[in-house]
Amino acid sequence: MNMNGYRCVACAVVQTADYANFLCPVCGGNLDVSYDYAAAAQGMRESFSKTAHDMFRFAPLLPLQQPRAPFPLRVGATPMYPVRPAGEMGGMCNLYLKDETVNPSASLKDRASAVAIGRALDSGAGVVAVASTGNAGSSLACLAAATGLRSVVFVPASAPVAKLTQMLAFGARVLAVRGNYDDAYDLCLAASAEFGWFNRSTGFNAFTREGKKTCAFEIWQDLGGRVPDRVVVSTGDGNTLSAIWKGWCDLKAVGLIDRLPRIDCVQAEASAAINRTIAQVRDGNQQDVDWSGVCVSQVRASTVADSISVDRPRDGLAAVKAVIRSGGEAVTVSDRDILAAIPAMARATGVFAEPAAAAPWAGLKKMLREKRVTADELVVCIVSGSGLKDIGNTRTVVGEPIFIEPSLKAVRECQTA
Ligand SMILES: Cc1ncc(COP(=O)(O)O)c(C=O)c1O
Ligand SMILES: [Zn+2]
């Protein structure tokens, strides 16, 4: 294993790899896993070129004892599709979708759960727990089932029924909290401490970022070793975005690339704590930001995109740093635009996203309109979760079927209507 320690995202104090807690002992900040990059670089090309078709082919840059999946399911190695230049996206000719909906539980979260489960096994834990808006929970439940571990999921009781059904089908103990995601999060922290469960919750657990960063490794491979100009990421807690950024930084650290993409942060208008903080830091116009002094905003979140509805982002600082360091855009989109993006993207590409996963499409469209992106840039939108996970809201914007009698005459009539 090439992992050699942790660095605090806020105060940069370092811990050794055997540090047993999850948060910085000095300031309580989130930790970021560090590696011996010189050691990881050795054999990296060979490891990356393996045909092993899952994310564990990136083992030299994963914090695990075993360089293979602890379950038979395939996580990662998802497809990336070029988007036809015509229409919807104003002539963009270098636009791609990274389709994370084909992971085992139908979201990008499986990458995080896969590494978390590997770490839980390494630490001898028998029960894994998570607080979730829905996808992290269905993901953990899925991969725990495939591994033979027990899982406990804390979700807001209002989570979409498809996500709750997934968790229950996988046999998780589902604790549907009468409160919001933030209430579920705090409860999961307290319960995991009391019962000794391995807590996979986003932000608190440093290993989720390590799993999700493999999405960036794959994009680089999918593009034949090119670095995109931007990667557009839907953001709630900020962990996914900071992970995508870390993936590119890792590739640079091991000498496989020599420049980095911009990472654009898309948030829903009424759940935009991270974008608000990015604007504040940029307004401050500081040359060298003192990250330990940056306090991420809190909001009263409310959006149809349940997966990114977050009052208090649990990995907000890491995401703010990533956007600022990469020179990315912070773009907020209305619920209306998010919902409109679902059929628009589905019809232009054949990829069906849940609201949060369609947000990058809406965000990119807005950035094009505002000339913050040009049509010739090489852009990747991450489609982070399947449309089948939340059809309730989508149903309102896709139109109605045409109900007919079972006769050819009825078909003829609706052709002319
Ligand atoms: C489908 C989907 N997209 C985007 C996100 C945002 O990830 P993060 O909360 O790490 O910012 C989530 C998180 O739940 C998600 O489920
Ligand atoms: Zn610290």
Side-chain angles (χ1 to χ4, degrees):
M1 181 164 75
N2 296 316
M3 171 184 168
N4 65 5
Y6 303 88
R7 179 182 299 269
C8 174
V9 173
C11 75
V13 166
V14 168
Q15 308 300 320
T16 52
D18 57 359
Y19 179 64
N21 296 320
F22 276 121
L23 299 175
C24 171
V26 178
C27 75
N30 290 350
L31 298 178
D32 188 36
V33 175
S34 57
Y35 295 85
D36 176 344
Y37 283 109
Q42 280 186 1
M44 183 63 75
R45 278 176 197 280
E46 186 203 342
S47 167
F48 274 28
S49 64
K50 274 192 194 142
T51 46
H53 262 300
D54 69 12
M55 57 177 268
F56 289 88
R57 68 189 187 279
F58 305 119
L61 284 169
L62 292 177
L64 299 172
Q65 310 281 7
Q66 299 295 330
R68 68 189 75 88
F71 40 71
L73 302 183
R74 189 199 73 186
V75 179
T78 59
M80 193 164 84
Y81 303 122
V83 176
R84 274 181 285 115
E88 180 65 18
M89 276 303 170
M92 285 205 87
C93 49
N94 280 310
L95 174 60
Y96 294 83
L97 296 187
K98 181 67 172 167
D99 182 8
E100 291 294 305
T101 71
V102 301
N103 280 306
S105 78
S107 89
L108 177 142
K109 300 281 157 142
D110 288 337
R111 296 181 187 269
S113 298
V115 170
I117 283 184
R119 287 295 300 197
L121 291 175
D122 286 349
S123 70
V127 180
V128 287
V130 70
S132 170
T133 51
N135 283 332
S138 35
S139 166
L140 190 70
C142 170
L143 297 184
T147 313
L149 286 174
R150 289 196 291 136
S151 61
V152 183
V153 181
F154 294 79
V155 274
S158 59
V161 67
K163 296 180 187 179
L164 292 171
T165 307
Q166 273 187 298
M167 295 165 203
L168 292 165
F170 292 128
R173 182 182 302 162
V174 181
L175 301 175
V177 180
R178 290 191 195 91
N180 64 10
Y181 169 59
D182 296 81
D183 297 319
Y185 195 100
D186 291 336
L187 198 53
C188 182
L189 272 179
S192 299
E194 178 156 334
F195 299 109
W197 299 332
F198 182 90
N199 185 352
R200 173 238 181 268
S201 293
T202 294
F204 171 76
N205 187 314
F207 302 108
T208 60
R209 191 182 295 118
E210 301 312 297
K212 291 175 181 175
K213 75 184 182 185
T214 60
C215 183
F217 298 164
E218 289 182 16
I219 292 170
W220 171 71
Q221 290 194 313
D222 295 335
L223 288 171
R226 281 182 300 161
V227 177
D229 295 309
R230 1 183 127 249
V231 185
V232 190
V233 186
S234 173
T235 300
D237 274 320
N239 186 249
T240 305
L241 187 145
S242 76
I244 298 299
W245 172 239
K246 182 164 189 189
W248 295 102
C249 293
D250 275 6
L251 289 175
K252 190 156 180 274
V254 296
L256 287 166
I257 60 175
D258 55 15
R259 71 179 190 92
L260 295 164
R262 296 177 196 274
I263 312 292
D264 297 324
C265 178
V266 182
Q267 295 208 279
E269 257 168 12
S271 179
I274 289 174
N275 282 353
R276 190 182 289 184
T277 311
I278 292 167
Q280 282 161 0
V281 173
R282 284 191 167 143
D283 283 351
N285 207 11
Q286 301 166 41
Q287 283 294 339
D288 280 312
V289 183
D290 170 13
W291 294 108
S292 62
V294 173
C295 185
V296 176
S297 306
Q298 292 190 36
V299 295
R300 289 295 294 166
S302 158
T303 167
V304 289
D306 67 286
S307 301
I308 51 172
S309 185
V310 173
D311 288 3
R312 187 174 147 211
R314 303 293 174 149
D315 208 16
L317 185 60
V320 171
K321 278 169 95 165
V323 174
I324 289 184
R325 288 192 167 153
S326 77
E329 297 291 322
V331 51
T332 53
V333 285
S334 66
D335 277 5
R336 202 157 159 232
D337 288 350
I338 290 174
L339 287 180
I342 297 170
M345 187 172 89
R347 289 164 196 186
T349 68
V351 178
F352 181 28
E354 67 164 273
W361 186 271
L364 181 58
K365 212 172 149 187
K366 183 171 178 184
M367 289 192 288
L368 275 167
R369 206 168 52 236
E370 295 177 349
K371 303 204 180 342
R372 295 156 81 181
V373 175
T374 55
D376 59 345
E377 287 186 58
L378 174 48
V379 178
V380 180
C381 286
I382 296 180
V383 184
S384 44
S386 165
L388 294 175
K389 280 173 168 282
D390 180 13
I391 53 169
N393 289 307
T394 305
R395 192 78 173 79
T396 62
V397 291
V398 292
E400 289 296 322
I402 304 163
F403 295 95
I404 59 164
E405 297 306 317
S407 75
L408 193 53
K409 180 168 166 280
V411 179
R412 280 194 207 108
E413 276 167 12
C414 65
Q415 294 302 98
T416 51

